[in-house]
Amino acid sequence: MPLVTSKEMFKKAYDGGYAIGAFNVNNMEIVQGITEAAGKLNAPVILQVSAGARKYAKHVYLTKLVEAAIADVDIPIVLHLDHGADFETCKSCIDGGFTSVMIDGSHHSFEDNIAVTKKVVEYAHERGVTVEGELGRLEGVEDDVKVSAEDSAYTRPEEVEEFVTRTGVDSLAIAIGTSHGAFKFKPGTKPQLRFDILEEVEKRLPGFPIVLHGASSVPQEYAEQINKYGGKMKDAIGVPEDMLRQAAKMAVCKINIDSDLRMAMTATLRKYFAEEPGEFDPRKYLGPARDAIREIVAHKIKNVLGCDGKA
Ligand code: G3H
Ligand code: 13P
Ligand code: ZN
């Protein structure tokens, strides 16, 4: 099956009360782990590529890996640009075979965000590519940009209709208290999301797909395994999975997960090297790391997103 856009996928997800997992890809083992899990569970999936991933692996390697994945598994796959910083980056991905892009104008003023998002939408839609915009700012780290708690801001529901109407975006990322990375909430505090904002957005944009970034749940067993074998992930706290399930049943159609996959790989590799200090064949340790990705993605699909069997 050729790559698809997010249009049909989100419509079905909205109507069906589930969400699609958007997982970040950086190398072959990650692409294989994700798509093998999705293929086995007959689940649609979004493979997303950040600017950092393009820099690390090169655009052409990532698109060719995804091309290999669509030949290998028969499920709908979207190839999406994560956090496109400007028009040029989005254009380069649209011209380079992506079927969906995010233009992240959330750091701009409302008017400047609208201007750059609209420009991307016009270019993308003429070429059959879908666009995700963002309103509100998430705390945390993306590439080299760190957004502090003071600079983060919840989405203002009163702005969403104007933003969507004037830009023509196909989906909208909103800030309701999630954040990027593995340290999302202060230790000792109760993780909370602003479901009231999500509800208000849903009311104002009926039937419109909403996106949740920073949605890793930071499994404690991985954090403990990383700590046990010399890592430093004490106090790592994610978004509780029941909250993500609730969001998936609402207007949230796309849930972004990267940190959990990083943790799965890191926990596996740390344990492996502690137990097999003499091993130096990369296939011996990257194989189990890929297995761990497959396992965590299967868990998300079945227990968090609810998109198994929806391909
Ligand atoms: O939102 C950020 C994603 O986790 C991608 O991270 O920019 O380090 O590739 P990255
Ligand atoms: P996490 O850091 O919670 O995995 O979020 C990933 C993300 O939002 C990518 O855009
Ligand atoms: Zn993000």
Side-chain angles (χ1 to χ4, degrees):
M1 182 184 305
L3 285 174
V4 298
T5 73
S6 58
K7 195 97 197 153
E8 191 60 25
M9 227 182 236
F10 286 168
K11 195 188 169 335
K12 284 194 195 161
Y14 195 102
D15 295 342
Y18 61 88
I20 314 293
F23 302 101
N24 288 71
V25 295
N26 294 280
N27 67 11
M28 183 189 78
E29 283 74 15
I30 299 175
V31 171
Q32 289 180 335
I34 297 166
T35 53
E36 284 169 15
K40 210 164 170 196
L41 293 166
N42 205 30
V45 75
I46 298 171
L47 301 177
Q48 57 186 13
V49 170
S50 69
R54 285 177 92 216
K55 198 167 154 197
Y56 171 76
K58 288 191 189 170
H59 182 100
V60 66
Y61 282 84
L62 293 168
T63 52
K64 294 292 171 190
L65 283 172
V66 174
E67 205 178 291
I70 61 174
D72 191 41
V73 291
D74 192 25
I75 47 165
I77 297 178
V78 173
L79 177 54
H80 174 77
L81 168 66
D82 191 26
H83 294 284
D86 47 39
F87 175 78
E88 284 310 318
T89 309
C90 293
K91 180 180 181 298
S92 155
C93 288
I94 294 164
D95 295 345
F98 283 38
T99 52
S100 176
V101 293
M102 173 189 193
I103 171 70
D104 183 355
S106 62
H107 304 284
H108 297 306
S109 69
F110 185 65
E111 283 303 324
D112 289 352
N113 189 355
I114 288 184
V116 69
T117 305
K118 188 170 186 292
K119 189 172 171 194
V120 171
V121 168
E122 280 165 5
Y123 191 81
H125 282 184
E126 275 169 21
R127 290 156 183 83
V129 169
T130 43
V131 180
E132 172 185 329
E134 177 165 336
L135 260 186
R137 282 191 305 275
L138 268 70
E139 188 187 338
V141 187
E142 293 156 27
D143 281 324
D144 299 328
V145 184
K146 187 168 184 345
V147 182
S148 68
E150 305 82 69
D151 289 339
S152 68
Y154 294 121
T155 302
R156 292 154 55 90
E158 59 275 24
E159 289 181 347
V160 298
E161 291 141 293
E162 185 181 348
F163 186 82
V164 166
T165 313
R166 285 177 61 194
T167 58
V169 278
D170 303 283
S171 62
L172 182 68
I174 62 169
I176 59 168
T178 62
S179 59
H180 291 107
F183 301 85
K184 300 184 191 294
F185 300 98
K186 287 204 176 67
T189 60
K190 202 170 163 321
Q192 264 169 351
L193 295 188
R194 291 288 304 274
F195 278 99
D196 57 319
I197 296 180
L198 176 57
E199 262 169 34
E200 190 56 34
V201 168
E202 192 171 335
K203 252 187 241 157
R204 288 169 185 261
L205 296 173
F208 191 81
I210 299 302
V211 177
L212 212 53
H213 282 248
S216 277
S217 53
V218 185
Q220 284 310 292
E221 60 272 28
Y222 289 148
E224 278 161 24
Q225 190 165 316
I226 289 168
N227 289 332
K228 182 173 170 193
Y229 295 104
K232 283 190 181 151
M233 294 213 70
K234 196 179 157 289
D235 294 340
I237 302 175
V239 183
E241 290 190 338
D242 57 338
M243 290 188 190
L244 297 168
R245 268 199 302 277
Q246 191 183 335
K249 285 182 189 151
M250 298 169 69
V252 171
C253 295
K254 173 174 179 271
I255 291 189
N256 284 14
I257 300 168
D258 185 13
S259 296
D260 286 353
L261 273 56
R262 295 180 181 198
M263 288 181 76
M265 277 195 117
T266 304
T268 306
L269 289 170
R270 280 196 175 274
K271 181 168 186 278
Y272 187 90
F273 285 123
E275 289 172 355
E276 305 287 344
E279 187 54 67
F280 67 101
D281 177 348
R283 294 169 298 188
K284 291 276 168 51
Y285 52 83
L286 292 176
R290 177 176 56 195
D291 295 343
I293 297 270
R294 200 188 295 120
E295 229 171 84
I296 181 82
V297 170
H299 165 76
K300 298 284 174 186
I301 288 173
K302 284 187 289 192
N303 304 311
V304 177
L305 304 156
C307 61
D308 45 324
K310 309 290 188 188

